[in-house]
Amino acid sequence: MIFDRMENGDYEQIVYCYDKTSGLKSIIVIHDTTLGPALGGCRMWDYKSEEEALRDVMRLAKGMTYKNAAAGINLGGGKSVIIGDPRKDKSEALFRAFGRFVESLNGRYITAEDVGTKTEDLDIVYQETNYVVGISESYGSSGNPSPVTAYGVYKSMLRTAKEAFGEESLKDKTIAIQGCGNVAYYLCKYLKEEGARLIVTDILEEAIQKFVDEFGAERVDVDQIYEVEADIFCPCALGGILNDNTIPKLKVKAICGSANNQLEDIERHGQMLEERGIIYAPDFIVNAGGAINVADELSGYNRERALSKAGNLYNQIGLVFEIAKRDKITTAKAANRMAEERIAAIKEIHTSFLKNEHNVYTRRK
Ligand SMILES: NC(=O)C1=CN([C@@H]2O[C@H](COP(=O)(O)OP(=O)(O)OC[C@H]3O[C@@H](n4cnc5c(N)ncnc54)[C@H](O)[C@@H]3O)[C@@H](O)[C@H]2O)C=CC1
Ligand SMILES: O=C(O)CCC(=O)C(=O)O
């Protein structure tokens, strides 16, 4: 069955990694390496089943192919998951064991952070492999990608507001934020400065409290976030949250957030949003700042350059809105089209033989 799923989604490689002593159970998925080695973070989550973990990592890996392609990054798409509770199951041995499996792929997969993993975890991974980005700045790396991701989300939200409300200001706009984590935190700094009103939720009480205290945000229960009266819904937690149950509840004019894979079904739920007159800013365009930031490391990290490229997501989102209107398709489809066209074009120029094939990884200083 797994080969059927790989064939249907055009996946290159799935690697199951197990280490008895550390208890590591991890899945690394390489979706597509047309543009270069597969880049994507490592998520640590307490999945209820192996199937749930596999489904998540396959969706995330494919999303990275599209994200990197649309953002103009010369890298393919991959992702990994570690099955376990990030609050209880982390250890040095676990992350070193994971690092050894990443190393065994010899550069076909480059890991980074995602939900449940942090810069300090990746510093441990770095003990075993060079194929890791977003480690501590003291190693000459780019550090935590979340501030740059948040900047890209903020710029994308300005462009989305222009599309939805006719002006790019977020002043006095109400933003409903799902997930009070890393990206949401840095994003809220911008939103607060703009004079937006914030409504937040999280499954963790302490995470919410920080946003209430620091940003004066209003809190709601986890399920209420879909029903609040707001201008923009900003998903910053996990994926699959725009679905048959939630879309009919939404009372917003636009959606723009950092979470990966927000639409449970790209075709159907993209269409449902369109029919409800809700402007959807496709997730993998909006949240590409993180990938842009860590990918920049591979050519000798420069913060200003990374921020400037993340800021350009304002224009990228604008382009997606234009393509959607021009081709009379949903914004979700327009974003996919943009990525697919770039991959197809680059594949074409890769047909001729080059002795020293240019490898982006070797450019790292
Ligand atoms: N950190 C980065 O630079 C990037 C993050 N992303 C995506 O953005 C999203 C957020 O990432 P981070 O802020 O780094 O993660 P994080 O782990 O710091 O924050 C996620 C927050 O969501 C909360 N959460 C989980 N399930 C929830 C639910 N059902 N309802 C409400 N809250 C819930 C968690 O308790 C946590 O506080 C993820 O989907 C991630 O894949 C995408 C690109 C880059
Ligand atoms: O932002 C990162 O940490 C690396 C890229 C990634 O995994 C993502 O954008 O989801």
Side-chain angles (χ1 to χ4, degrees):
M1 295 314 162
I2 291 191
F3 280 121
D4 288 343
R5 286 158 75 170
M6 290 177 79
E7 190 179 344
N8 287 336
D10 288 327
Y11 288 85
E12 285 182 19
Q13 192 174 6
I14 300 181
V15 188
Y16 279 75
C17 314
Y18 174 62
D19 177 69
K20 198 169 185 170
T21 50
S22 64
L24 176 78
K25 284 183 184 163
S26 167
I27 309 172
I28 299 173
V29 173
I30 295 175
H31 175 254
D32 186 288
T33 56
T34 305
L35 297 179
L39 166 79
C42 172
R43 178 170 293 191
M44 183 165 185
W45 194 252
D46 203 7
Y47 293 102
K48 297 290 161 281
S49 65
E50 283 167 30
E51 172 54 31
E52 194 192 347
L54 177 63
R55 206 172 340 119
D56 200 28
V57 66
M58 286 181 79
R59 274 168 59 89
L60 288 165
K62 188 166 185 174
M64 287 308 300
T65 298
Y66 281 77
K67 181 184 310 193
N68 292 336
I73 297 170
N74 289 319
L75 292 168
K79 205 94 179 182
S80 54
V81 292
I82 294 178
I83 300 173
D85 185 337
R87 282 180 298 170
K88 291 197 307 238
D89 299 330
K90 287 185 179 180
S91 68
E92 181 190 351
L94 182 98
F95 284 109
R96 288 187 71 154
F98 173 70
R100 292 178 74 81
F101 282 108
V102 172
E103 178 68 14
S104 75
L105 292 169
N106 205 24
R108 273 177 57 70
Y109 169 64
I110 301 169
T111 196
E113 78 160 19
D114 194 66
V115 175
T117 57
K118 292 189 162 31
T119 307
E120 54 261 35
D121 304 321
L122 297 174
D123 287 350
I124 302 174
V125 173
Y126 182 53
Q127 310 287 311
E128 302 289 345
T129 184
N130 275 332
Y131 301 117
V132 53
V133 284
I135 57 176
S136 289
E137 291 172 41
S138 58
Y139 290 111
S141 174
S142 60
N144 177 3
S146 303
V148 181
T149 305
Y151 182 64
V153 178
Y154 163 62
K155 296 295 268 187
S156 301
M157 199 180 278
L158 287 176
R159 182 61 185 85
T160 305
K162 189 174 175 193
E163 195 71 10
F165 312 111
E167 53 170 16
E168 66 169 51
S169 168
L170 296 170
K171 186 160 168 40
D172 297 329
K173 292 281 181 287
T174 301
I175 323 277
I177 299 164
Q178 180 181 49
C180 298
N182 263 311
V183 178
Y185 178 76
Y186 293 103
L187 175 64
C188 282
K189 290 187 175 205
Y190 292 112
L191 301 182
K192 197 68 204 161
E193 237 169 69
E194 284 272 325
R197 176 178 161 244
L198 308 175
I199 302 178
V200 298
T201 194
D202 200 288
I203 48 173
L204 301 176
E205 181 51 37
E206 65 271 23
I208 300 182
Q209 197 55 47
K210 189 172 162 191
F211 282 57
V212 172
D213 294 344
E214 207 165 315
F215 304 118
E218 186 186 322
R219 60 173 342 126
V220 293
D221 289 342
V222 166
D223 292 335
Q224 274 182 302
I225 198 72
Y226 301 108
E227 298 174 26
V228 293
E229 299 277 354
D231 296 295
I232 300 176
F233 176 44
C234 177
C236 289
L238 299 185
I241 44 88
L242 296 173
N243 54 45
D244 291 345
N245 283 332
T246 60
I247 293 174
K249 293 181 190 167
L250 294 171
K251 298 192 181 100
V252 294
K253 189 84 184 82
I255 299 172
C256 177
S258 78
N260 279 307
N261 298 334
Q262 293 166 23
L263 297 168
E264 191 176 272
D265 182 306
I266 290 174
E267 291 264 337
R268 204 154 58 80
H269 296 124
Q271 188 60 39
M272 265 176 92
L273 287 172
E274 172 120 343
E275 282 161 13
R276 287 219 46 212
I278 297 173
I279 292 168
Y280 173 64
D283 49 13
F284 67 80
I285 308 286
V286 172
N287 71 16
I292 288 169
N293 190 58
V294 293
D296 196 76
E297 248 181 67
L298 303 176
S299 29
Y301 185 62
N302 180 302
R303 182 77 163 189
E304 291 313 309
R305 183 173 56 209
L307 277 169
S308 151
K309 284 184 184 172
N312 191 47
L313 294 172
Y314 178 98
N315 295 323
Q316 287 295 94
I317 281 290
L319 204 57
V320 169
F321 292 147
E322 272 170 34
I323 293 173
K325 277 183 232 160
R326 185 196 67 201
D327 296 354
K328 297 187 175 44
I329 53 176
T330 64
T331 54
K333 266 199 182 162
N336 278 9
R337 189 166 289 180
M338 223 162 81
E340 282 160 4
E341 282 177 1
R342 176 160 184 250
I343 294 169
I346 303 303
K347 202 171 229 162
E348 281 297 309
I349 66 148
H350 277 178
T351 48
S352 56
F353 173 75
L354 270 188
K355 185 157 179 276
N356 298 313
E357 186 70 73
H358 186 65
N359 178 350
V360 72
Y361 196 74
T362 59
R363 292 210 307 260
R364 188 180 197 174
K365 297 204 170 86

